[in-house]
Amino acid sequence: MSSKELLRMKSKNKVNGNGSLSSSGWEMRPGGMLVQKRSSDHSNQSSMIVPTIRLKVKYGSSYHEVKISSQATFGELKKMLAGPTGLHTEDQKIFYKEKEKDSRSFLDVAGLKDGSKLVLIEDEISKEKRYLESRKNAKMENASKEITTIRLEIDKLAKQVANVEMDIYGGKKVTETLLLSLIELLMTQLIKLDGITADGDLKLQRRMQVKRVQKYIETLDMLKIRNSALGNHNANVPMHNKNRIFTGQMPKSIYYQQEQRKMGNFADQTSPGPVVVTTKWETF
Protein backbone atom coordinates (compact mmCIF):
# COMPACT_ATOMS: atom_id res chain seq x y z
CA MET A 1 0.00 0.00 0.00
CA SER A 2 1.44 3.42 -0.95
CA SER A 3 1.89 6.31 1.51
CA LYS A 4 -0.87 8.27 -0.21
CA GLU A 5 -3.34 5.40 0.13
CA LEU A 6 -2.32 5.03 3.79
CA LEU A 7 -3.03 8.76 4.42
CA ARG A 8 -6.41 8.41 2.75
CA MET A 9 -7.23 5.41 4.98
CA LYS A 10 -6.20 7.35 8.07
CA SER A 11 -8.32 10.33 7.07
CA LYS A 12 -11.39 8.12 6.60
CA ASN A 13 -10.88 6.19 9.84
CA LYS A 14 -10.20 7.53 13.29
CA VAL A 15 -7.28 6.04 15.20
CA ASN A 16 -8.00 4.74 18.71
CA GLY A 17 -5.70 5.33 21.61
CA ASN A 18 -4.26 1.82 21.43
CA GLY A 19 -3.04 2.40 17.84
CA SER A 20 -5.81 0.48 16.06
CA LEU A 21 -8.22 1.98 13.57
CA SER A 22 -11.87 2.20 14.54
CA SER A 23 -12.90 1.10 11.07
CA SER A 24 -13.79 -2.58 10.83
CA GLY A 25 -11.25 -4.78 9.04
CA TRP A 26 -8.00 -2.79 9.58
CA GLU A 27 -5.48 -2.27 12.38
CA MET A 28 -2.19 -0.39 12.83
CA ARG A 29 0.89 -2.42 13.83
CA PRO A 30 3.54 -0.85 16.16
CA GLY A 31 5.89 -0.36 13.20
CA GLY A 32 3.31 1.75 11.39
CA MET A 33 2.17 -1.00 8.99
CA LEU A 34 -1.53 -1.11 8.20
CA VAL A 35 -2.81 -4.70 8.02
CA GLN A 36 -6.14 -6.44 7.89
CA LYS A 37 -7.63 -6.79 11.34
CA ARG A 38 -7.79 -10.25 12.91
CA SER A 39 -11.07 -11.15 14.56
CA SER A 40 -11.30 -13.34 17.65
CA ASP A 41 -14.99 -13.89 17.06
CA HIS A 42 -15.76 -17.63 17.01
CA SER A 43 -18.31 -17.33 14.25
CA ASN A 44 -15.71 -15.58 12.09
CA GLN A 45 -13.20 -18.40 12.74
CA SER A 46 -15.70 -21.03 11.66
CA SER A 47 -15.95 -19.30 8.30
CA MET A 48 -12.21 -19.91 7.77
CA ILE A 49 -12.53 -23.71 7.54
CA VAL A 50 -10.10 -25.17 5.00
CA PRO A 51 -12.12 -26.48 2.06
CA THR A 52 -11.93 -30.02 0.73
CA ILE A 53 -11.38 -30.32 -2.98
CA ARG A 54 -11.97 -33.15 -5.44
CA LEU A 55 -9.13 -34.03 -7.77
CA LYS A 56 -9.22 -36.25 -10.84
CA VAL A 57 -6.01 -38.26 -11.25
CA LYS A 58 -5.25 -40.15 -14.47
CA TYR A 59 -3.05 -43.23 -14.13
CA GLY A 60 -2.60 -45.26 -17.31
CA SER A 61 -6.07 -45.78 -18.72
CA SER A 62 -7.76 -45.37 -15.34
CA TYR A 63 -9.09 -42.31 -13.52
CA HIS A 64 -9.17 -41.91 -9.75
CA GLU A 65 -11.14 -39.27 -7.90
CA VAL A 66 -9.61 -38.12 -4.62
CA LYS A 67 -11.10 -35.86 -1.96
CA ILE A 68 -8.40 -34.04 -0.04
CA SER A 69 -7.75 -30.81 1.87
CA SER A 70 -6.72 -27.94 -0.38
CA GLN A 71 -3.82 -27.23 1.99
CA ALA A 72 -2.43 -30.78 1.86
CA THR A 73 0.90 -31.57 0.21
CA PHE A 74 1.49 -33.64 -2.89
CA GLY A 75 3.19 -36.17 -0.60
CA GLU A 76 -0.09 -36.66 1.25
CA LEU A 77 -1.87 -37.01 -2.07
CA LYS A 78 0.60 -39.76 -3.05
CA LYS A 79 -0.21 -41.65 0.13
CA MET A 80 -3.90 -41.57 -0.76
CA LEU A 81 -3.15 -42.80 -4.29
CA ALA A 82 -0.93 -45.68 -3.12
CA GLY A 83 -3.95 -47.85 -2.26
CA PRO A 84 -6.06 -47.60 -5.44
CA THR A 85 -3.07 -47.55 -7.83
CA GLY A 86 -0.84 -50.09 -6.04
CA LEU A 87 2.17 -47.78 -6.47
CA HIS A 88 4.59 -47.10 -3.63
CA THR A 89 4.74 -43.39 -2.75
CA GLU A 90 8.42 -43.27 -3.76
CA ASP A 91 7.55 -44.70 -7.18
CA GLN A 92 4.98 -42.00 -8.01
CA LYS A 93 5.42 -38.95 -10.19
CA ILE A 94 2.54 -36.45 -10.23
CA PHE A 95 2.21 -33.89 -13.02
CA TYR A 96 -0.02 -30.82 -13.02
CA LYS A 97 -0.16 -28.77 -16.20
CA GLU A 98 2.69 -30.90 -17.59
CA LYS A 99 5.01 -30.06 -14.69
CA GLU A 100 6.15 -32.57 -12.08
CA LYS A 101 5.25 -31.56 -8.52
CA ASP A 102 7.49 -32.01 -5.51
CA SER A 103 6.08 -34.06 -2.64
CA ARG A 104 6.67 -31.16 -0.23
CA SER A 105 4.69 -28.64 -2.29
CA PHE A 106 1.18 -27.64 -1.21
CA LEU A 107 -1.83 -28.18 -3.44
CA ASP A 108 -3.31 -24.69 -3.05
CA VAL A 109 0.05 -23.02 -3.61
CA ALA A 110 0.44 -24.99 -6.85
CA GLY A 111 -2.94 -23.61 -7.97
CA LEU A 112 -5.06 -26.76 -7.60
CA LYS A 113 -8.78 -26.22 -7.17
CA ASP A 114 -11.88 -28.33 -6.98
CA GLY A 115 -12.05 -30.42 -10.15
CA SER A 116 -8.37 -30.02 -11.10
CA LYS A 117 -6.91 -32.82 -13.22
CA LEU A 118 -3.53 -34.46 -12.64
CA VAL A 119 -1.47 -37.20 -14.29
CA LEU A 120 0.26 -39.95 -12.33
CA ILE A 121 3.07 -42.08 -13.80
CA GLU A 122 5.33 -44.73 -12.33
CA ASP A 123 8.97 -43.77 -11.65
CA GLU A 124 10.87 -46.75 -13.08
CA ILE A 125 14.27 -45.57 -11.80
CA SER A 126 13.02 -45.19 -8.24
CA LYS A 127 11.31 -48.57 -8.44
CA GLU A 128 14.54 -50.23 -9.59
CA LYS A 129 16.52 -48.57 -6.80
CA ARG A 130 14.03 -49.74 -4.19
CA TYR A 131 14.13 -53.28 -5.60
CA LEU A 132 17.93 -53.42 -5.45
CA GLU A 133 17.93 -51.98 -1.94
CA SER A 134 15.37 -54.52 -0.74
CA ARG A 135 17.43 -57.37 -2.24
CA LYS A 136 20.56 -56.07 -0.53
CA ASN A 137 18.77 -55.82 2.81
CA ALA A 138 17.41 -59.35 2.41
CA LYS A 139 20.91 -60.71 1.69
CA MET A 140 22.35 -58.94 4.71
CA GLU A 141 19.57 -60.32 6.90
CA ASN A 142 20.21 -63.86 5.66
CA ALA A 143 23.96 -63.41 6.14
CA SER A 144 23.40 -62.27 9.72
CA LYS A 145 21.29 -65.34 10.47
CA GLU A 146 23.87 -67.68 8.90
CA ILE A 147 26.74 -66.13 10.88
CA THR A 148 24.75 -66.45 14.10
CA THR A 149 24.01 -70.13 13.40
CA ILE A 150 27.67 -70.87 12.61
CA ARG A 151 28.82 -69.01 15.73
CA LEU A 152 26.63 -71.23 17.90
CA GLU A 153 28.09 -74.34 16.24
CA ILE A 154 31.63 -73.06 16.81
CA ASP A 155 30.80 -72.44 20.48
CA LYS A 156 29.80 -76.10 20.84
CA LEU A 157 32.97 -77.31 19.11
CA ALA A 158 35.09 -74.97 21.25
CA LYS A 159 33.85 -76.72 24.39
CA GLN A 160 34.80 -80.10 22.93
CA VAL A 161 38.28 -78.80 22.05
CA ALA A 162 38.68 -77.53 25.63
CA ASN A 163 37.69 -80.94 27.02
CA VAL A 164 40.21 -82.71 24.77
CA GLU A 165 42.93 -80.29 25.90
CA MET A 166 42.20 -81.06 29.53
CA ASP A 167 42.40 -84.80 28.89
CA ILE A 168 45.67 -84.68 26.95
CA TYR A 169 47.41 -82.26 29.31
CA GLY A 170 46.11 -84.33 32.18
CA GLY A 171 48.03 -87.31 30.80
CA LYS A 172 45.06 -89.09 29.26
CA LYS A 173 45.38 -90.29 25.68
CA VAL A 174 42.45 -89.70 23.34
CA THR A 175 41.74 -91.45 20.08
CA GLU A 176 43.15 -89.78 17.00
CA THR A 177 39.76 -90.24 15.37
CA LEU A 178 38.28 -87.75 17.84
CA LEU A 179 40.89 -85.15 16.99
CA LEU A 180 40.44 -85.65 13.25
CA SER A 181 36.66 -85.48 13.63
CA LEU A 182 36.85 -82.15 15.45
CA ILE A 183 39.19 -80.75 12.79
CA GLU A 184 36.82 -81.88 10.05
CA LEU A 185 33.81 -80.28 11.77
CA LEU A 186 35.69 -77.02 12.20
CA MET A 187 36.77 -77.07 8.56
CA THR A 188 33.12 -77.49 7.58
CA GLN A 189 32.24 -74.31 9.48
CA LEU A 190 35.15 -72.54 7.80
CA ILE A 191 33.80 -73.48 4.38
CA LYS A 192 30.35 -72.18 5.35
CA LEU A 193 31.85 -68.87 6.44
CA ASP A 194 33.77 -68.63 3.18
CA GLY A 195 30.49 -68.85 1.27
CA ILE A 196 28.91 -65.87 3.05
CA THR A 197 29.01 -62.48 1.34
CA ALA A 198 28.86 -59.63 3.85
CA ASP A 199 29.70 -55.94 4.17
CA GLY A 200 30.38 -53.56 7.02
CA ASP A 201 29.74 -54.89 10.51
CA LEU A 202 28.68 -58.30 9.24
CA LYS A 203 32.00 -58.66 7.43
CA LEU A 204 33.83 -58.02 10.71
CA GLN A 205 31.67 -60.60 12.51
CA ARG A 206 32.40 -63.15 9.80
CA ARG A 207 36.14 -62.47 10.04
CA MET A 208 36.07 -62.95 13.82
CA GLN A 209 34.48 -66.37 13.44
CA VAL A 210 37.01 -67.35 10.76
CA LYS A 211 39.87 -66.50 13.12
CA ARG A 212 38.24 -68.51 15.90
CA VAL A 213 37.97 -71.60 13.70
CA GLN A 214 41.57 -71.26 12.53
CA LYS A 215 42.74 -70.92 16.13
CA TYR A 216 40.96 -74.09 17.25
CA ILE A 217 42.27 -76.10 14.28
CA GLU A 218 45.83 -75.00 15.08
CA THR A 219 45.28 -76.02 18.70
CA LEU A 220 44.10 -79.47 17.61
CA ASP A 221 47.14 -79.87 15.35
CA MET A 222 49.42 -79.28 18.34
CA LEU A 223 47.33 -81.59 20.51
CA LYS A 224 47.87 -84.37 17.95
CA ILE A 225 51.63 -84.09 18.58
CA ARG A 226 51.17 -84.18 22.34
CA ASN A 227 48.67 -87.01 22.16
CA SER A 228 51.02 -89.09 19.98
CA ALA A 229 53.83 -88.63 22.53
CA LEU A 230 51.55 -89.82 25.33
CA GLY A 231 50.65 -92.93 23.38
CA ASN A 232 54.21 -93.94 22.46
CA HIS A 233 56.00 -93.19 25.69
CA ASN A 234 53.36 -92.97 28.42
CA ALA A 235 54.98 -89.74 29.51
CA ASN A 236 54.39 -88.40 32.99
CA VAL A 237 52.83 -84.96 32.85
CA PRO A 238 53.64 -82.48 35.66
CA MET A 239 50.71 -81.58 37.89
CA HIS A 240 50.82 -77.91 36.97
CA ASN A 241 50.10 -78.82 33.32
CA LYS A 242 47.03 -80.96 34.00
CA ASN A 243 44.60 -78.07 34.05
CA ARG A 244 46.35 -76.08 31.37
CA ILE A 245 44.05 -75.01 28.55
CA PHE A 246 45.45 -73.73 25.26
CA THR A 247 43.12 -71.89 22.89
CA GLY A 248 45.60 -70.59 20.37
CA GLN A 249 46.54 -67.46 22.33
CA MET A 250 50.23 -68.47 22.50
CA PRO A 251 52.26 -67.88 19.33
CA LYS A 252 52.94 -71.13 17.49
CA SER A 253 56.72 -70.69 17.44
CA ILE A 254 56.98 -70.32 21.25
CA TYR A 255 54.44 -73.05 21.81
CA TYR A 256 56.37 -75.44 19.55
CA GLN A 257 59.65 -74.76 21.36
CA GLN A 258 58.06 -75.44 24.75
CA GLU A 259 56.55 -78.67 23.48
CA GLN A 260 59.94 -79.81 22.19
CA ARG A 261 61.57 -79.13 25.56
CA LYS A 262 58.82 -81.01 27.42
CA MET A 263 59.02 -84.07 25.21
CA GLY A 264 62.82 -84.20 25.55
CA ASN A 265 64.21 -87.00 23.44
CA PHE A 266 60.80 -88.41 22.50
CA ALA A 267 60.86 -86.76 19.08
CA ASP A 268 64.33 -88.12 18.38
CA GLN A 269 63.20 -91.67 19.22
CA THR A 270 59.98 -91.60 17.22
CA SER A 271 61.00 -89.73 14.09
CA PRO A 272 64.16 -88.70 12.26
CA GLY A 273 63.32 -84.99 12.54
CA PRO A 274 61.11 -82.58 14.51
CA VAL A 275 57.34 -82.57 13.93
CA VAL A 276 56.03 -79.19 12.86
CA VAL A 277 52.55 -77.82 12.20
CA THR A 278 52.24 -76.76 8.59
CA THR A 279 48.71 -75.29 8.62
CA LYS A 280 48.56 -72.29 6.30
CA TRP A 281 45.52 -70.04 6.13
CA GLU A 282 44.32 -67.97 3.27
CA THR A 283 43.01 -64.49 3.97
CA PHE A 284 39.21 -64.34 3.80
Side-chain angles (χ1 to χ4, degrees):
M1 181 179 293
S2 65
S3 59
K4 291 182 179 180
E5 292 176 338
L6 179 61
L7 290 174
R8 279 200 297 268
M9 288 295 300
K10 287 183 177 180
S11 63
K12 291 181 180 180
N13 301 282
K14 295 181 180 180
V15 180
N16 295 331
N18 58 2
S20 62
L21 297 174
S22 59
S23 173
S24 61
W26 297 95
E27 64 180 358
M28 182 73 70
R29 291 288 175 85
M33 182 180 292
L34 188 65
V35 297
Q36 192 170 0
K37 187 176 181 181
R38 296 179 181 179
S39 175
S40 58
D41 184 44
H42 184 271
S43 60
N44 195 27
Q45 287 183 354
S46 62
S47 63
M48 299 297 292
I49 296 176
V50 179
T52 299
I53 58 177
R54 291 182 300 176
L55 303 175
K56 197 171 185 180
V57 183
K58 182 178 183 297
Y59 172 57
S61 59
S62 304
Y63 288 87
H64 303 275
E65 189 175 277
V66 180
K67 292 183 179 180
I68 189 171
S69 169
S70 61
Q71 294 184 359
T73 63
F74 281 92
E76 293 172 301
L77 176 60
K78 289 180 179 180
K79 291 180 181 179
M80 298 182 68
L81 291 170
T85 63
L87 290 180
H88 192 279
T89 54
E90 296 180 6
D91 299 342
Q92 297 181 28
K93 279 187 175 183
I94 295 180
F95 290 83
Y96 178 59
K97 294 183 178 180
E98 299 183 352
K99 291 184 178 180
E100 183 182 357
K101 296 301 176 180
D102 188 90
S103 296
R104 295 169 294 182
S105 300
F106 293 93
L107 303 179
D108 56 349
V109 175
L112 271 72
K113 300 177 181 179
D114 190 55
S116 294
K117 297 179 180 180
L118 303 96
V119 177
L120 172 66
I121 65 173
E122 184 176 13
D123 188 347
E124 294 291 343
I125 297 177
S126 176
K127 182 180 179 180
E128 182 68 18
K129 287 181 179 179
R130 282 199 320 107
Y131 173 72
L132 294 175
E133 188 67 22
S134 64
R135 283 192 60 184
K136 181 180 178 181
N137 293 336
K139 286 182 178 180
M140 291 299 101
E141 186 177 352
N142 291 334
S144 178
K145 291 180 180 179
E146 290 177 6
I147 292 174
T148 300
T149 302
I150 293 173
R151 178 178 57 80
L152 295 175
E153 289 297 323
I154 295 174
D155 289 343
K156 294 177 183 178
L157 294 172
K159 292 179 181 179
Q160 296 183 49
V161 173
N163 292 334
V164 170
E165 286 179 324
M166 290 185 66
D167 289 340
I168 293 177
Y169 281 94
K172 180 181 177 181
K173 179 179 174 61
V174 300
T175 60
E176 187 175 357
T177 306
L178 175 60
L179 295 171
L180 295 175
S181 176
L182 287 173
I183 292 175
E184 183 178 353
L185 291 172
L186 286 166
M187 288 298 296
T188 300
Q189 302 307 316
L190 198 61
I191 294 172
K192 290 180 181 179
L193 288 168
D194 186 38
I196 296 176
T197 302
D199 295 318
D201 183 60
L202 287 177
K203 188 174 182 179
L204 294 177
Q205 294 181 31
R206 172 182 166 274
R207 186 177 301 170
M208 287 177 58
Q209 299 309 315
V210 168
K211 290 183 177 180
R212 286 184 68 198
V213 173
Q214 292 175 344
K215 178 185 67 176
Y216 294 136
I217 292 177
E218 290 169 1
T219 300
L220 289 169
D221 283 338
M222 299 306 296
L223 288 174
K224 285 170 62 179
I225 300 173
R226 182 71 179 181
N227 189 58
S228 178
L230 289 176
N232 292 334
H233 304 281
N234 197 20
N236 293 321
V237 181
M239 290 297 295
H240 66 274
N241 282 336
K242 288 189 176 181
N243 294 325
R244 190 174 182 182
I245 304 298
F246 287 94
T247 56
Q249 299 296 332
M250 184 181 296
K252 288 191 292 183
S253 59
I254 299 175
Y255 179 78
Y256 175 74
Q257 293 171 10
Q258 292 184 355
E259 287 298 302
Q260 293 299 304
R261 287 197 295 269
K262 290 174 187 175
M263 290 191 292
N265 296 325
F266 293 160
D268 294 335
Q269 297 175 9
T270 57
S271 62
V275 180
V276 294
V277 179
T278 59
T279 306
K280 295 182 181 180
W281 301 112
E282 295 181 1
T283 302
F284 287 88

